[in-house]
Amino acid sequence: MAEGDGTTTDSGATSFEEFQAAEGGVDFSGLAGAFVDYKVPARAFKGFSRNVTAAEQSTISKAIPRRGPQSVYTGSYLVNETGLIDKKPYNPNKDVYTEMYSMDTTTLRAYQSLLYSRGFYGKNKPSLTGTMSSDRSAFKELLTYANSRGYTWQALIPEIAAMPMTTGGTGGSRYRVSAPEDITEYLRQASLEKLGRTMSKEDVDKAIVAIQQVERTKGPDAPAMSVAAAQQVSAADPDREKSVRFRRGIDIAMNLLGG
C-alpha cells in the first residue's frame, strides 16, 4: 500500500439504492442514518457491543446464517478484538482524526512504526509528531483495509504485525501484493463515487490483475491503492464517469442558484 495525493473519498451523490440492488445489501436507512449493508468475508462473533443499538441488532440478526453452534456474520459492520459486532464501517476521511488522535503520543508512534514497516506509508516516512498528511494517509489506508476485512483496526493489529516487512528494519525490502478482497473494496468505493454504481465482476477481475501487476513491478513505488483503484474505474467506463461528473456539476450549480 502506498500513500499518495489521492485518498479514498466519500460523495453525497453516491447511488446507495443502485449499490443495494447490485449487491443484495440490507437497508438500514430507518435506523441510525442512511446506511446500506454489504458483504465482506465471514467472521465468527460472540454477540453485539453496546455501540450497536437494539434496532440495529434486530436487523443484523435476521440476516445472519448459522453454521452449527457458531454464529457467522458476513455483513459490513465491524467485529472488534473481543469478537463482538461493534460499529458501522469507517469513513476513512472523517474517522481518521478520531481514531488517530484519541490515543497518547507513545501509542501513536508505535502504530506509526508498525504501519511504516508493513508498507502502509508507501515511499513516505512517519513524522515525529504524527500530524502530517502522510501519517493520516497511512491511517486511512489502515481504516479502508479494516473495512475490507470486516474488523475494527485494533482487531487487525496482530494480523498486520505478522505481515512481511516491506520498508524499514534490517531485513531488506519485500513488498506485499494486495489481496484481491482488499483491492475489491477500494474498487467498490471508487466506482460508487465515480460511476454511481458498482463495477461488473469482469471489470473487477481485470482491475485486480492490473493493480497487482503494477505492485509486483513497482513495489513501494506503486500508486496508493486508492489512486490505483480510481484509475482502473475511470478506464473501465470513461463515458459514464464523464456523465456522472456532469450531472453532479449541474446539481451543484442548481443548489448554488437555489434551484
Side-chain angles (χ1 to χ4, degrees):
M1 302 179 185
E3 187 275 342
D5 54 5
T7 56
T8 53
T9 57
D10 293 292
S11 169
T14 293
S15 174
F16 285 107
E17 293 82 3
E18 198 165 359
F19 171 56
Q20 182 185 14
E23 297 295 323
V26 177
D27 188 359
F28 285 81
S29 59
L31 304 179
F35 175 72
V36 176
D37 201 14
Y38 55 90
K39 290 186 177 181
V40 295
R43 291 92 71 210
F45 75 101
K46 300 176 182 177
F48 297 89
S49 78
R50 294 181 179 179
N51 296 331
V52 184
T53 68
E56 289 173 310
Q57 291 182 31
S58 176
T59 304
I60 292 171
S61 296
K62 294 175 182 177
I64 293 177
R66 297 189 66 86
R67 298 177 183 174
Q70 190 174 49
S71 295
V72 177
Y73 177 56
T74 60
S76 60
Y77 272 57
L78 306 179
V79 176
N80 65 22
E81 61 269 34
T82 63
L84 301 178
I85 295 176
D86 187 58
K87 62 176 65 178
K88 293 177 182 178
Y90 297 112
N91 178 330
N93 283 328
K94 295 181 180 179
D95 294 339
V96 63
Y97 296 96
T98 301
E99 298 297 330
M100 282 187 71
Y101 303 131
S102 61
M103 64 184 85
D104 60 73
T105 303
T106 301
T107 303
L108 177 58
R109 288 288 293 165
Y111 285 132
Q112 284 179 272
S113 178
L114 176 63
L115 295 180
Y116 172 63
S117 67
R118 269 56 178 185
F120 286 79
Y121 272 84
K123 55 187 177 182
N124 294 301
K125 293 183 179 181
S127 72
L128 294 176
T129 61
T131 59
M132 302 298 289
S133 61
S134 59
D135 300 308
R136 290 189 293 274
S137 292
F139 220 89
K140 288 177 186 179
E141 294 280 354
L142 172 62
L143 297 183
T144 302
Y145 177 67
N147 285 346
S148 73
R149 298 282 286 110
Y151 289 98
T152 60
W153 67 264
Q154 294 91 337
L156 292 175
I157 291 302
E159 175 182 311
I160 293 171
M163 292 176 178
M165 291 183 65
T166 63
T167 56
T170 59
S173 177
R174 184 184 174 194
Y175 197 74
R176 177 177 61 90
V177 174
S178 300
E181 57 267 26
D182 300 337
I183 300 175
T184 299
E185 170 61 14
Y186 279 92
L187 291 170
R188 184 191 69 81
Q189 294 186 23
S191 62
L192 285 174
E193 179 186 343
K194 288 179 169 293
L195 307 180
R197 62 167 176 79
T198 53
M199 299 170 71
S200 68
K201 186 179 185 305
E202 180 181 0
D203 285 339
V204 168
D205 291 342
K206 289 179 180 178
I208 290 173
V209 171
I211 290 173
Q212 288 181 329
Q213 182 59 35
V214 172
E215 289 181 329
R216 290 188 185 97
T217 57
K218 293 190 176 182
D221 292 327
M225 181 59 68
S226 54
V227 175
Q231 292 172 342
Q232 292 297 319
V233 168
S234 297
D237 197 342
D239 291 337
R240 183 178 178 91
E241 180 186 11
K242 291 178 182 177
S243 176
V244 169
R245 189 186 306 125
F246 178 77
R247 291 201 306 269
R248 289 176 182 170
I250 293 296
D251 289 341
I252 292 173
M254 293 297 291
N255 288 334
L256 291 175
L257 294 172

